[in-house]
């Protein structure tokens, strides 16, 4: 067990690291963070920041030497850096989980071997491969880079045959490995954040219903507006994954609830997740506290939901409206800002958890704030 009072090193100084450090400080842990940006969101609340590139081996070594345990807030950690950290420090999440979740093909093969349903896909290397794959998968389909994609970057939806050549050309420009995947007609997108600690104890947070605008998470609604059986199935899938991958720490499982009522896994993230921010005030234990408990080998906290909640993201374009209206927020709305120096369109600047007697009431409160329902905002959807 890593005792409270020990130092936790975080690779990455963004908002996920910041909220991890805020939760961990309450528990008595100290924090050191490695990030290339001076005064990073996490650096502002940590004991110490090492300002250096993520590929700087010496900086990674320094982080490891200062830390009793090391974790990360993003999955695209360089393999050599991960190896360096593992040599000089305790990295309970291990590098295997990173290796799998960094690469869509490895991730999908692992899920399939674990008996977890996913969208049908094929690896492609040429336009001809893409043509052939689409004749099996059908249209629409979506080409994705195997590595490096997030918030819809590195994705090209193909709706008719004429779009195939251009989609391939654009995707090939990245120089990355490519896959094509059947486009799933979904009723809802769901996610389950689940924790497994050093001793193998596993606990899942309630499934969230995720609403994206322009491929970026906009809202998470909890409880998700799905049947009890569907919620149970989503949770079962998450348990299966945590077990099969021998996860330590958190893993977020993003899923599609299809129009046929099936649940397919889309993607995994081996860290706290934007769709788990609702847990900060709405659950007995937040995802950030749970992550720290898991990697430090403490017993996991109770993940039960205390109240219905809707989490809504504050992107750069929302920030001025939020500041103007901060006094009008209901007194059960919990504002979190990440301390980013520069506000840009589409950049995640903060979020608000609207706690309410029902999710309908929370959605109504959000609507009344008139922050997220500007016409230009709707057009992005
Ligand atoms: P990803 O980067 O794979 O999480 O994809 C980002 C978003 O694109 C998802 O949350 C979905 O809204 C959408 N998307 C990705 N893959 C598919 C798919 N196969 N079918 C339908 N929508 C998809």
């Amino acid at each position: 067990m890593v005792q409270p009072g020990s130092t936790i090193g975080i690779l990455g100084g963004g908002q996920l690291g910041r909220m991890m450090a805020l939760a961990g400080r309450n528990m008595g842990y100290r924090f050191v963070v490695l990030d290339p940006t001076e005064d990073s969101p996490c650096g502002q609340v940590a004991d110490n920041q090492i300002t250096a590139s993520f590929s700087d081996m010496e900086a990674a070594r320094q982080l490891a030497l200062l830390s009793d345990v090391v974790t990360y807030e993003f999955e695209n950690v360089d393999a050599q850096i991960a190896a360096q950290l593992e040599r000089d420090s305790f990295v309970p999440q291990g590098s295997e989980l990173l290796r799998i979740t960094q690469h869509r093909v490895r991730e999908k093969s692992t899920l399939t071997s674990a008996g977890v349903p996913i969208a049908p896909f094929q690896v492609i290397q040429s336009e001809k491969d893409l043509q052939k794959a689409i004749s099996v998968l059908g249209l629409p389909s979506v080409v994705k880079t195997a590595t490096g994609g997030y918030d819809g970057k590195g994705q090209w939806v193909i709706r008719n045959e004429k779009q195939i050549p251009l989609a391939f050309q654009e995707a090939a420009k990245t120089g990355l490995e490519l896959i094509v995947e059947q486009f799933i007609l979904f009723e809802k997108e769901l996610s389950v954040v689940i924790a497994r600690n050093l001793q193998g104890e596993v606990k899942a947070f309630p499934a969230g219903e995720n609403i994206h605008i322009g491929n970026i998470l906009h809202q998470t609604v909890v409880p998700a507006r799905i049947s009890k059986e569907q919620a149970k199935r989503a949770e079962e899938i998450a348990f299966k994954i945590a077990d099969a991958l021998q996860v330590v720490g958190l893993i977020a499982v993003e899923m599609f609830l299809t129009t046929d009522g099936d649940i397919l896994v889309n993607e995994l993230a081996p860290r706290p997740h934007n769709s788990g921010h609702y847990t900060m005030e709405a659950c007995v234990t937040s995802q950030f506290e749970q992550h720290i408990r898991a990697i430090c080998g403490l017993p996991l906290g109770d993940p039960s939901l205390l109240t219905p909640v809707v989490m809504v993201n504050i992107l750069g374009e929302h920030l001025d409206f939020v500041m103007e209206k901060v006094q009008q927020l209901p007194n059960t709305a919990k504002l979190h800002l990440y301390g980013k120096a520069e506000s840009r369109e589409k950049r995640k600047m903060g979020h608000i958890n609207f706690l309410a007697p029902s999710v309908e009431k929370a959605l109504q409160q959000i609507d009344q704030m008139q922050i997220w329902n500007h016409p230009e905002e709707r057009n992005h959807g």
Side-chain angles (χ1 to χ4, degrees):
M1 188 180 89
V2 181
Q3 294 276 4
S6 307
T7 299
I8 300 177
I10 309 178
L11 193 61
Q15 65 265 25
L16 300 177
R18 175 187 177 96
M19 291 184 275
M20 220 189 270
L22 287 169
R25 286 199 132 197
N26 278 336
M27 300 161 78
Y29 289 99
R30 310 198 68 133
F31 285 85
V32 52
V33 57
L34 169 59
D35 194 272
T37 312
E38 200 92 48
D39 195 39
S40 67
C42 182
Q44 292 165 24
V45 303
D47 298 87
N48 200 347
Q49 171 168 337
I50 301 166
T51 307
S53 146
F54 293 129
S55 54
D56 183 334
M57 292 293 269
E58 183 45 40
R61 207 173 73 86
Q62 208 188 334
L63 179 77
L65 294 178
L66 290 171
S67 309
D68 298 297
V69 55
V70 169
T71 186
Y72 44 80
E73 58 136 37
F74 58 94
E75 53 271 46
N76 292 321
V77 180
D78 181 281
Q80 279 182 323
I81 296 289
Q84 169 81 63
L85 292 172
E86 274 189 312
R87 253 195 316 276
D88 292 343
S89 180
F90 176 46
V91 190
Q93 291 161 282
S95 49
E96 183 56 14
L97 189 59
L98 285 174
R99 211 183 64 82
I100 293 171
T101 53
Q102 275 172 355
H103 196 283
R104 287 189 194 272
V105 181
R106 286 201 285 266
E107 184 172 287
K108 285 174 187 293
S109 313
T110 308
L111 289 168
T112 305
S113 311
V116 172
I118 57 169
F121 79 102
Q122 290 192 19
V123 177
I124 54 162
Q125 276 166 351
S126 62
E127 190 183 316
K128 209 162 151 206
D129 285 354
L130 179 57
Q131 298 271 9
K132 247 201 271 171
I134 283 179
S135 68
V136 179
L137 301 172
L139 286 172
S141 276
V142 53
V143 174
K144 297 183 179 181
T145 55
T147 53
Y150 68 96
D151 287 345
K153 292 190 179 75
Q155 292 196 16
W156 298 265
V157 178
I158 302 174
R159 298 188 185 277
N160 59 59
E161 300 215 343
K162 276 194 244 148
Q163 294 176 320
I164 294 177
L166 188 61
F168 184 79
Q169 267 173 36
E170 290 295 316
K173 272 188 204 160
T174 62
L176 299 170
E177 279 178 69
L178 301 174
I179 66 160
V180 57
E181 185 179 289
Q182 196 172 80
F183 195 83
I184 303 301
L185 297 175
F186 57 78
E187 196 169 305
K188 288 186 189 299
E189 292 193 76
L190 307 173
S191 61
V192 173
V193 176
I194 189 162
R196 187 171 174 280
N197 73 3
L198 282 171
Q199 293 83 356
E201 186 191 10
V202 190
K203 284 193 196 296
F205 288 101
E209 171 185 341
N210 296 326
I211 297 160
H212 292 86
I213 294 182
N215 272 321
I216 300 177
L217 184 65
H218 170 51
Q219 290 178 337
T220 302
V221 178
V222 190
R225 292 163 294 179
I226 55 177
S227 70
K228 272 208 177 86
E229 292 70 36
Q230 287 165 336
K232 189 160 163 258
R233 173 91 186 110
E235 226 174 84
E236 278 168 6
I237 288 175
F239 271 99
K240 207 172 202 178
I241 293 170
D243 201 42
L245 275 70
Q246 293 284 294
V247 169
V248 173
L250 292 185
I251 191 154
V253 183
E254 292 188 69
M255 310 177 215
F256 298 124
L257 171 61
T258 70
T259 45
D260 297 335
D262 297 327
I263 294 183
L264 304 177
V265 170
N266 174 34
E267 224 185 8
L268 306 177
R271 51 169 171 77
H273 195 254
N274 194 169
S275 69
H277 291 357
Y278 80 86
T279 60
M280 293 177 86
E281 290 92 12
C283 290
V284 177
T285 308
S286 78
Q287 64 166 348
F288 300 102
E289 176 180 340
Q290 197 74 310
H291 180 69
I292 286 164
R293 284 172 171 269
I295 60 167
C296 290
L298 300 176
L300 295 179
D302 179 357
S304 305
L305 191 69
L306 297 166
T307 165
V309 57
V310 176
M311 188 282 318
V312 56
N313 267 337
I314 301 169
L315 303 181
E317 60 269 37
H318 305 133
L319 191 61
D320 286 346
F321 294 112
V322 170
M323 299 320 272
E324 262 172 40
K325 298 194 174 182
V326 80
Q327 302 214 32
Q328 293 156 42
L329 285 170
N331 62 10
T332 47
K334 303 293 179 179
L335 172 66
H336 299 265
L337 292 176
Y338 306 149
K340 294 185 183 176
E342 194 194 340
S343 168
R344 279 195 307 270
E345 207 182 311
K346 306 280 164 250
R347 188 171 199 210
K348 289 175 183 169
M349 303 302 292
H351 69 271
I352 306 179
N353 286 333
F354 285 82
L355 313 178
S358 66
V359 294
E360 289 73 23
K361 181 84 183 135
L363 288 166
Q364 208 179 9
Q365 288 177 347
I366 292 168
D367 207 43
Q368 279 166 357
M369 292 307 298
Q370 297 269 318
I371 292 171
W372 294 271
N373 39 4
H374 292 273
E376 67 273 21
E377 187 58 16
R378 283 203 204 100
N379 290 342
H380 286 128

